[in-house]
Amino acid sequence: MEAPLPGKAAQDIMAATSRNVRINDMRQSGEPKPGAVLVLFYENEKGEICIPLMQRPSYEGAHSGQISLPGGKVEPEDDTRYDTALRECEEEIGIPQSKVEVIGELSELYIFASHYTVLPVVGYMQGLPEFIPDHIEVDKVIEAPVERLIDKNYHLQKRLQVRHFEIDAPYFDVFGEIVWGATAMMLSELVTVIEQKDIQKYLRA
């Protein structure tokens, strides 16, 4: 029997707050747009299991300069949101879709800033990835070792000024990079699943 995912309770561990209101509990009007991101496991040269993150360039938009998982909005050519996650990962950081084995998904997350409902798709690949960042969409790729994401010594918090919001933001410290917001919330659920010791019973292939 398939176990339920930890869902919102696990995501909320890393939810940013503004005046005691969780940002992702706020809602814009109208139907949210569908999107997907890829949580991709691979083994690096040091033998560490890692997940690629990427820093977006500065621009006039909701996620300017933030660190995120590869992903984006559903396009007409995507049959499923798994297709969206795989396509976006290839377009943004150059990982061929044919090299990724999808093993499941995490819980959907509503993102207030962009009014998207995002599905984190989980996959893995054999061998070392060759990252080819799209120079328009990606400033750099960041390797996040899973062991570091699990280590509570790197679960920190700081106050940030984001446009007209002053927020208290829990974050993952990945070698000095601040991974917060929706990405941190999705990774928080992943960490919770991994800590349950039996990841396969949670990932819904």
Side-chain angles (χ1 to χ4, degrees):
M1 182 176 178
E2 181 184 286
L5 286 162
K8 190 174 186 298
Q11 294 169 344
D12 279 353
I13 294 169
M14 284 286 173
T17 60
S18 175
R19 297 180 183 176
N20 298 318
V21 176
R22 292 189 184 277
I23 301 301
N24 267 51
D25 286 345
M26 303 168 70
R27 289 274 167 174
Q28 297 186 35
S29 61
E31 190 70 20
K33 300 176 286 290
V37 297
L38 185 64
V39 180
L40 178 64
F41 292 110
Y42 66 93
E43 186 174 334
N44 69 7
E45 292 175 328
K46 300 176 184 178
E48 301 169 317
I49 302 302
C50 294
I51 294 168
L53 304 173
M54 58 187 216
Q55 184 167 37
R56 296 195 178 277
S58 297
Y59 67 101
E60 291 296 325
H63 304 296
S64 173
Q66 290 186 14
I67 294 172
S68 69
L69 292 155
K73 66 180 180 180
V74 174
E75 298 288 359
E77 65 266 28
D78 300 329
D79 292 330
T80 69
R81 284 198 280 180
Y82 286 15
D83 296 328
T84 302
L86 294 171
R87 174 184 54 75
E88 287 281 350
C89 186
E90 181 167 12
E91 291 175 359
E92 291 181 330
I93 61 174
I95 302 300
Q97 299 178 49
S98 60
K99 289 190 175 182
V100 179
E101 178 73 23
V102 172
I103 57 175
E105 62 190 54
L106 297 171
S107 302
E108 283 187 331
L109 178 65
Y110 172 72
I111 301 177
F112 166 76
S114 55
H115 197 42
Y116 271 83
T117 300
V118 174
L119 179 71
V121 177
V122 182
Y124 74 94
M125 64 173 293
Q126 301 284 351
L128 286 173
E130 180 183 358
F131 297 120
I132 307 172
D134 180 276
H135 71 280
I136 296 175
E137 297 194 68
V138 182
D139 264 0
K140 63 180 177 181
V141 176
I142 300 163
E143 284 193 332
V146 171
E147 283 192 7
R148 191 177 181 99
L149 296 176
I150 294 171
D151 190 336
K152 296 297 192 293
N153 291 314
Y154 300 108
H155 298 186
L156 305 175
Q157 182 165 318
K158 71 183 301 182
R159 182 157 292 187
L160 299 174
Q161 185 71 38
V162 182
R163 293 183 291 173
H164 58 282
F165 285 108
E166 186 175 81
I167 63 175
D168 293 314
Y171 68 94
F172 293 96
D173 177 348
V174 181
F175 305 115
E177 303 288 356
I178 297 174
V179 183
W180 69 283
T183 300
M185 293 176 72
M186 289 182 272
L187 292 177
S188 181
E189 185 182 28
L190 178 69
V191 166
T192 301
V193 169
I194 292 171
E195 288 175 338
Q196 296 293 328
K197 308 298 185 185
D198 189 4
I199 192 170
Q200 290 300 327
K201 74 176 182 179
Y202 289 95
L203 296 177
R204 301 176 295 201

